[in-house]
Amino acid sequence: MATEAVKKPKKQMRPAIESGCPDGMQYLHPVMLRNFGQWVDHQHPRPGVLCHVAASGEKIWTVRAGTQRILDVYTLRKLCDIGDEFGDGHVRFTIRSNIEYMIDAESKVEPLIGALTDAGFIVGGTQNSVAMISHTQGWLHCDIPGTDASGIVKSMMDELIHEFTNAEMPNRVHITTSCCQINCGGQGDIAINIQHTKPPKINHDLVANVCERPSVVARCPVAAIRPAMVNGKPSLEVDEKKCICCGACYPPCPPMQINDPEHSKLAVWVGGNHSNARSKPSFQKLVAAGIPNNPPRWPEATAVVKKILAAYKEDAKDWERINDWIDRIGWPRFFEITDLPFTKFHIDNWRGSRKSLNSSSHIRF
Amino acid sequence: MNESDDQKGNNPAGSPPQQSNHDTPMLDHLESGPWPSFISGIKRLRDDHPSDRVNGMANDLLGQLEHSYQTKKGYWKGGTVSVYGYGGGIIPRFSEVGDMFPKSREFHTLRVQPPAGNHYSTDMLRNLADSWEKHGSGLVTFHGQTGNIMFIGATTDNTQHFFDEINEYGFDLGGAGPCVRTAMSCVGSARCEMSCTNEHKVHRSLVNNFTDDVHRPALPYKFKFKISGCPNDCMNSIERADFAVIGTWRDDMKVDQQAFKDYVGRKGRQHTIDNIITRCPTNALSLKDDDSVEVDNRNCVRCMHCLNVVPSAFSPGDDKGISILIGGKRTLKIGDMFGTVIVPFMRLDNEEDYERLVEIAEETIDFFAENALEHERTGEMIERIGLVNFLEGIGVEVDPNMISHPRESSYVRMDEWDDEAAKWFERRANGDAQVSGGAV
């Protein structure tokens, strides 16, 4: 018996086919394939529905629906069933994890919307709506998360559902959430991100075994980390006066625990805009911080977001994105009408920050 | 790493004891309200799925997630897992509380490249669902912020089995770690009248030229391609990609005057002035007395605003191509950066043009590989060495479209001014200079 164990056959490994990115053309709706590159116009018949018109006169209708993003296979198959019964079997996903069904007749639009709605999916997210919040994995899967973006998004979308299913905003609103300052959720008109407020707590017993110390030292944006012997073991120490609590040391060195159940807070940023329309693309700016990281429904964060959205909806002109709106009305007015406190932390002190100061007598009274 | 954990999540032969569900009082709060609930989805797998492997994994996953909600901390750690022959593409996750939640102890994510444009047939989605149900947790996201299909939750062994199965029908892993990452492109020509290029082809020409660099992480840090068919940049490429491709056009935009007049008739002159004419960032539009519009095309910066407001009246010109911007990234380590213009315009008419595009990407990645510091993105490298050194490294000449304004600081040494000035005039004489939108 023992010899049999030794003779255990070597597993034959299958070499990978390095095919890379698959061709999307094979999945296109025939109307889209026929009119590829020949589209001339689009209409927005109702929120959640787009109608694109080709030079040939052919039209394609798109019905967009929000999902929970983290799909179980039952939900995925339900979406497929709806696509087969009420659509034409061709779908795509937007960058914000909405599903889109493409269909070739207007008569299919309402039945498809009905089927999606009956199954609990939310049709909307087009044009000047509040789009689905883009986010990442959080506590469900990430190795460094300070919060659970999925839970925040679910809680917030429950509250913002009217703005998703209607198109009543001055322009589209892209909201993002991120569970650390790496900001995987991306730039947003409004971004809700973790902001740590205390330096990492170091488990010195583990550092030498787990961390490549020089690369952790190099990772720190403010050179606050240096090698040190602690309790007779090689470890790292943090100059807590210099530390900006960014958490950059935590991914390469998990014993430098940055997540703090009490002191890791949420911050809200506004004015990130990827589009070149009107003004050049812009990054988001800090407007609120110190918001409790409060599962399971994070009501304080939602309240801040709703306050900003209400002010924007009320005060912005048509087609102004949040950054365009604030450029027009100025930051003092923004803080005034949103009733958010302006603090010394809003004044940037990172490299290049002088360009963010007002070097003029342009002042609104 | 942590190979010893491999088998712990599996039950020994024989029927496993009936699992008892973890209490999830906090997660239960995420099942109310109108938006679809991811918690309800995971519970469906726990309660309805016939496979003990799947329902047990869902139960323990919920248990660990509830534990995170209670303690406000995450409990996953990374490691090293890949498939045979590759070095990346998988995000390894080992539970730090695996003794409490053994069936989701190994919960790796496979990053799989979606078809360009994120198009699927329902048949193909069902194939993917079937394969994933066989080997994984049954949880999947279309798509993660990296642009990948995220198949969330597989044991180390099953990552290989799942990959082998989907790889046979045309899917491949994406990038993870310091490598060329999965690319993203917008719906573009497939369904959008703003599209100025074949995003599909640009996407696949670029990223599929670097499959080795995708699968075997060996760069200083990540390198991302994102492709948007017009300056609306729906893929956020200028803000998020090391190599951003933006469709644009060089000749006059097209105006359907009758459609414009119809719009003015419908909406009124004041609305038109407030929402279109005065919103043009370079004052290139003028409303005429007969309700037609005059466009100063020489000063149009292709911002897209008027096209977005009245797509029936305004559309891109015929001389279409792309701009390339390099160096976009988020905060870590030195701060946020936009990509900046490296190629103001190039046409993509034939295979030679696409080869030139790929060549620019190759030069960029080669230079990045040789010159960036560890964990330094392309934009940070350019910030450190200066744009001109980068341009010389990849063999691209300077162009005033690359800057917002010329230098303000006088602290610079300019001995070779005369030579450089002569070079500029020579390039202009040869028609090589990109000034006024000359092609690469």
Side-chain angles (χ1 to χ4, degrees), chain B residues 210 361-371:
Chain B
F210 297 99
E362 282 174 345
E363 297 278 2
T364 303
I365 291 176
D366 285 351
F367 187 86
F368 170 63
E370 276 172 36
N371 293 282

Side-chain angles (χ1 to χ4, degrees), chain A residues 164-175:
Chain A
F164 181 86
T165 55
N166 290 276
E168 298 171 350
M169 287 287 161
N171 200 340
R172 66 200 61 203
V173 181
H174 290 165
I175 306 183

Side-chain angles (χ1 to χ4, degrees), chain A residues 73-274:
Chain A
V73 284
Y74 292 121
T75 302
L76 180 58
R77 290 193 184 112
K78 183 79 203 166
L79 290 166
C80 291
D81 291 345
I82 292 171
D84 289 342
E85 193 178 346
F86 298 95
D88 298 337
H90 297 273
V91 298
R92 65 181 298 274
F93 291 88
T94 69
I95 192 175
R96 313 185 80 78
S97 299
N98 299 301
I99 191 166
E100 290 185 336
Y101 295 86
M102 274 66 68
I103 43 183
D104 59 10
E106 191 174 9
S107 59
K108 296 175 183 174
V109 171
E110 286 307 322
L112 176 55
I113 291 174
L116 284 164
T117 307
D118 290 347
F121 302 106
I122 316 292
V123 173
T126 48
Q127 304 280 47
N128 49 324
S129 63
V130 173
M132 165 60 172
I133 302 173
S134 73
H135 66 105
T136 52
Q137 311 280 33
W139 286 328
L140 186 77
H141 198 262
C142 184
D143 59 336
I144 56 170
T147 189
D148 193 47
S150 311
I152 297 177
V153 169
K154 158 67 180 155
S155 308
M156 230 170 244
M157 289 310 292
D158 279 343
E159 299 266 322
L160 301 178
I161 198 127
H162 177 84
E163 303 301 350
F164 181 86
T165 55
N166 290 276
E168 298 171 350
M169 287 287 161
N171 200 340
R172 66 200 61 203
V173 181
H174 290 165
I175 306 183
T176 75
T177 61
S178 298
C179 309
C180 78
Q181 287 172 226
I182 292 172
N183 190 212
C184 293
Q187 293 285 326
D189 292 289
I190 303 176
I192 304 101
N193 296 352
I194 275 282
Q195 189 84 17
H196 304 295
T197 64
K198 295 283 182 243
K201 291 191 183 115
I202 307 175
N203 183 341
H204 293 289
D205 292 338
L206 298 180
V207 169
N209 290 334
V210 180
C211 315
E212 196 185 325
R213 293 188 302 152
S215 62
V216 183
V217 169
R219 197 70 62 91
C220 179
V222 293
I225 303 175
R226 53 187 175 240
M229 293 294 286
V230 181
N231 304 328
K233 287 181 182 162
S235 186
L236 295 164
E237 65 182 11
V238 173
D239 181 340
E240 297 202 350
K241 282 214 180 81
K242 279 167 110 180
C243 178
I244 50 171
C245 312
C246 70
C249 54
Y250 182 49
C253 188
M256 303 187 76
Q257 177 62 255
I258 188 72
N259 290 312
D260 184 304
E262 187 188 345
H263 296 291
S264 291
K265 303 286 190 182
L266 295 176
V268 174
W269 306 69
V270 306
N273 181 359
H274 57 85

Side-chain angles (χ1 to χ4, degrees), chain B residues 12 89 140 204 221 247 255 285 309 313 334 371 373:
Chain B
V140 57
R204 297 184 74 234
Y221 200 15
V255 183
L285 298 177
V309 179
I334 69 168
N371 293 282
L373 305 175

Side-chain angles (χ1 to χ4, degrees), chain B residues 75-144:
Chain B
Y75 294 97
W76 298 108
K77 60 178 190 266
T80 308
V81 174
S82 192
V83 297
Y84 177 67
Y86 287 5
I90 290 170
I91 309 295
R93 289 293 176 254
F94 297 94
S95 175
E96 291 174 338
V97 286
D99 291 340
M100 288 159 72
F101 310 106
K103 291 181 184 172
S104 55
R105 182 188 296 272
E106 288 176 24
F107 203 72
H108 313 317
T109 282
L110 289 101
R111 286 184 174 174
V112 173
Q113 295 192 51
N118 296 341
H119 300 284
Y120 299 89
S121 62
T122 48
D123 289 345
M124 183 47 77
L125 286 178
R126 285 182 209 279
N127 287 345
L128 290 167
D130 292 348
S131 298
W132 184 233
E133 189 173 40
K134 206 189 305 178
H135 302 293
S137 70
L139 291 172
V140 57
T141 290
F142 294 89
H143 302 90

